[in-house]
Amino acid sequence: VITKRNKFFLPVFRDLDAQLRAFRDKAAAAMPGSDWSPIELTPGLPPERADVVIVGGGVVGWSIAYWLKMKARVRDGLRVLVVEKDPTYSQASTVLSCGGIRQQFSLKENIMLSLFSAHFMKNINNHLCVVNEDPVDLQFNHSGYLFLASEKSAHIMEENYRTQRYVGAKVALLSPSQLKERFPWMNTEGVALASLGLENEGWFDPWSLLNALRRKAVSMGVYQCFGEVTGFKCAANLAETTDGEVLNVQRIKYVNVRMPNSLEYQPVECAVVVNAAGANSGKIASMLGIGLGPKESVSGVPLPVEPRKRFVYVVHCPDGPGLDTPFLIDYSGVYCRREGLGGNYITGMSPEETEEPDISNLDVDHEFFQEKVWHRLAHRIPAFEQLKVSNAWAGFYDYNTFDQNGIIGLHPLVPNMYFATGFSGHGLQQSPAVGLAVAELILDGGYKTIDLSALDLKRILLQEPILESNIV
């Protein structure tokens, strides 16, 4: 029986029921991985929660984000946030690099990483195209790398060549006479052997790769935030090793992100954190006490990654080598490659360990070119006796002081922080493969494509370096 009283309350209950249904829908949507938030986000602030927070919006960080979303497949099945502190990327290692890619390494892991990445880049639009956007153009130049060895180091080049060929790299060894015949502009004095990459080597535009990965990842639902990670909120537990050492094991619950030019910060609740902060990754690790414990303990071993400044010089030489110029690496340490078609070249070299430049800024030391680079460059390529420095910049390596190889995996004291750092100058070229590897660790619990167990962080704790002889 419908009374006047019922007629009054029925619309109320219907409205209430509709509101409850809407609330239940929102509650379901607010589970991890969803886009809904009960509080409107301040523009620029990160979401209040994410399944995975990636610290570092360089090419490695965005590659990890892309592969996580690719493997998750469902757009909102995994909420991923990338935090980058430099909104202009003016100091980012990615965009300040020379953009080289090579397979001429001594370790099979490095060779496999760069082989995978080369194939990824050659088919870039099969991976990173976005509907209604321009296709990706990496400006990939396939001129190869050319390493020169002296009599003293020729046997190492031969060993590396055998490893490279075994893994699948297309490389050829050249005698001094073959080298001179192929590159008549080169002075072969002192060269005992040369190694030339025939396929999948050369250089490309770093910014194009970074932007393509970021654009694709954002189109797949990845959140990006420009801010600085200032700390973590953790749940701690004590654990004892077989040696009787008591460890403070921390699980990250929140990442604190501070906005640029502001005191405002946002705590982001998360399940997993990835430290892909490049040259700053050691600082991020120390926020969790890594390296701050007693010297002989696990917590006393720091993440051995620090910024190392490298200078890049652009020189103009109208009579320099032509279009067939590979990315040249001389045994003296100097390198050179062509930059465009107008007689411009990029060159530089790493300083001696005792002469590492100041890292408090990105100022360029022009005397370093005059005193260290030019005479070595002109000795190998006589045309460069007449040149003009037209531009120069400096950038940071995320330098692994332990063994100059990438560090990938979990830290035993922080079981939900993954590391992808310390690549010491070859992180850009290996980033597509590294991103997939880290995504596999997070979502599959192990490597499925390339076994990178040798690069695990535990080698740092065990003091068991794996040395790469071809570091530029």
Side-chain angles (χ1 to χ4, degrees):
V1 178
I2 300 178
T3 65
K4 290 183 178 179
R5 183 181 179 88
N6 288 340
K7 286 182 178 179
F8 175 79
F9 280 108
L10 277 173
V12 176
F13 283 121
R14 288 195 190 103
D15 186 55
L16 179 60
D17 187 61
Q19 291 184 40
L20 288 172
R21 280 199 305 272
F23 182 82
R24 283 195 298 269
D25 291 341
K26 281 193 172 183
M31 297 299 289
S34 76
D35 289 329
W36 181 79
S37 172
I39 300 175
E40 288 295 323
L41 295 179
T42 303
L45 285 177
E48 291 186 342
R49 60 187 172 279
D51 297 305
V52 181
V53 174
I54 299 171
V55 184
V59 70
V60 172
W62 279 109
S63 177
I64 295 168
Y66 161 74
W67 284 111
L68 283 171
K69 298 299 282 189
M70 279 294 293
K71 290 180 66 63
R73 295 189 179 276
V74 179
R75 177 180 176 86
D76 297 327
L78 189 72
R79 174 176 278 204
V80 179
L81 169 67
V82 176
V83 181
E84 168 58 40
K85 72 173 186 176
D86 180 8
T88 65
Y89 283 90
S90 61
Q91 297 188 10
S93 299
T94 296
V95 299
L96 295 173
S97 74
C98 292
I101 181 168
R102 59 185 168 101
Q103 287 80 56
Q104 294 186 64
F105 291 97
S106 63
L107 291 177
K108 63 182 181 66
E109 288 80 9
N110 285 329
I111 301 168
M112 290 188 292
L113 284 169
S114 288
L115 270 174
F116 178 96
S117 294
H119 290 300
F120 181 93
M121 293 183 201
K122 287 166 70 174
N123 300 283
I124 192 77
N125 282 293
N126 293 341
H127 300 284
L128 302 184
C129 67
V130 176
V131 177
N132 296 325
E133 296 282 353
D134 292 336
V136 181
D137 180 11
L138 294 183
Q139 303 172 45
F140 198 155
N141 186 302
H142 297 268
S143 296
Y145 265 69
L146 178 63
F147 279 81
L148 306 181
S150 64
E151 192 70 42
K152 183 179 179 181
S153 59
H155 69 287
I156 299 175
M157 178 172 283
E158 289 177 332
E159 292 174 8
N160 293 344
Y161 167 79
R162 287 191 288 270
T163 302
Q164 292 154 13
R165 295 286 295 183
Y166 176 78
V167 175
K170 301 294 189 293
V171 186
L173 293 180
L174 303 177
S175 67
S177 59
Q178 291 172 318
L179 186 65
K180 187 68 175 178
E181 182 180 358
R182 187 155 186 168
F183 305 110
W185 41 263
M186 184 183 301
N187 172 23
T188 59
E189 180 186 353
V191 177
L193 192 63
S195 176
L196 176 65
L198 304 177
E199 289 183 17
N200 302 315
E201 289 195 342
W203 56 92
F204 59 94
D205 178 36
W207 172 252
S208 294
L209 178 60
L210 169 63
N211 197 47
L213 283 164
R214 181 175 62 170
R215 185 182 71 172
K216 181 64 174 182
V218 170
S219 77
M220 300 167 75
V222 173
Y223 292 83
Q224 64 174 332
C225 168
F226 294 112
E228 183 175 3
V229 171
T230 58
F232 303 91
K233 183 177 179 181
C234 304
N237 293 290
L238 296 180
E240 188 172 343
T241 67
T242 54
D243 299 330
E245 181 183 351
V246 177
L247 302 177
N248 182 29
V249 180
Q250 304 180 83
R251 178 170 288 275
I252 299 170
K253 296 293 187 180
Y254 292 88
V255 179
N256 289 335
V257 181
R258 187 176 65 195
M259 300 301 98
N261 305 313
S262 172
L263 297 177
E264 184 179 14
Y265 77 91
Q266 171 78 42
V268 181
E269 185 180 6
C270 60
V272 171
V273 177
V274 180
N275 186 344
N280 292 311
S281 55
K283 178 182 176 182
I284 297 296
S286 67
M287 293 177 184
L288 293 159
I290 295 173
L292 303 181
K295 191 173 182 180
E296 301 301 322
S297 67
V298 174
S299 60
V301 179
L303 183 71
V305 179
E306 63 184 36
R308 293 282 180 96
K309 186 160 71 172
R310 297 292 180 261
F311 307 118
V312 180
Y313 305 93
V314 180
V315 301
H316 181 67
C317 180
D319 299 323
L323 296 179
D324 65 338
T325 307
F327 201 133
L328 175 66
I329 311 294
D330 189 51
Y331 61 76
S332 67
V334 72
Y335 67 81
C336 175
R337 73 160 174 84
R338 186 168 50 81
E339 174 71 354
L341 304 175
N344 295 314
Y345 304 84
I346 282 177
T347 186
M349 66 180 294
S350 294
E352 296 293 332
E353 188 77 21
T354 57
E355 299 177 343
E356 285 290 344
D358 174 31
I359 61 171
S360 64
N361 57 58
L362 284 176
D363 294 343
V364 175
D365 183 354
H366 290 276
E367 290 185 1
F368 184 78
F369 176 82
Q370 298 288 337
E371 297 175 1
K372 303 291 184 179
V373 178
W374 193 2
H375 69 92
R376 291 180 172 90
L377 183 64
H379 171 75
R380 188 58 62 209
I381 305 175
F384 283 147
E385 290 179 1
Q386 302 293 325
L387 58 74
K388 179 180 179 181
V389 178
S390 58
N391 195 10
W393 68 83
F396 291 125
Y397 274 11
D398 57 334
Y399 193 81
N400 175 358
T401 60
F402 183 66
D403 61 12
Q404 292 81 61
N405 280 299
I407 301 171
I408 301 174
L410 288 167
H411 195 288
L413 297 184
V414 193
N416 65 333
M417 173 177 271
Y418 291 83
F419 288 80
T421 185
F423 295 98
S424 305
H426 44 267
L428 171 67
Q429 62 180 287
Q430 296 178 347
S431 58
V434 169
L436 176 57
V438 174
E440 289 174 346
L441 283 181
I442 293 172
L443 298 180
D444 300 323
Y447 298 115
K448 302 294 184 181
T449 306
I450 303 175
D451 185 1
L452 299 180
S453 302
L455 300 181
D456 196 279
L457 189 146
K458 66 184 178 184
R459 79 181 191 275
I460 311 295
L461 304 177
L462 297 173
Q463 293 295 291
E464 296 175 354
I466 55 168
L467 299 177
E468 169 60 58
S469 61
N470 278 4
I471 296 293
V472 179

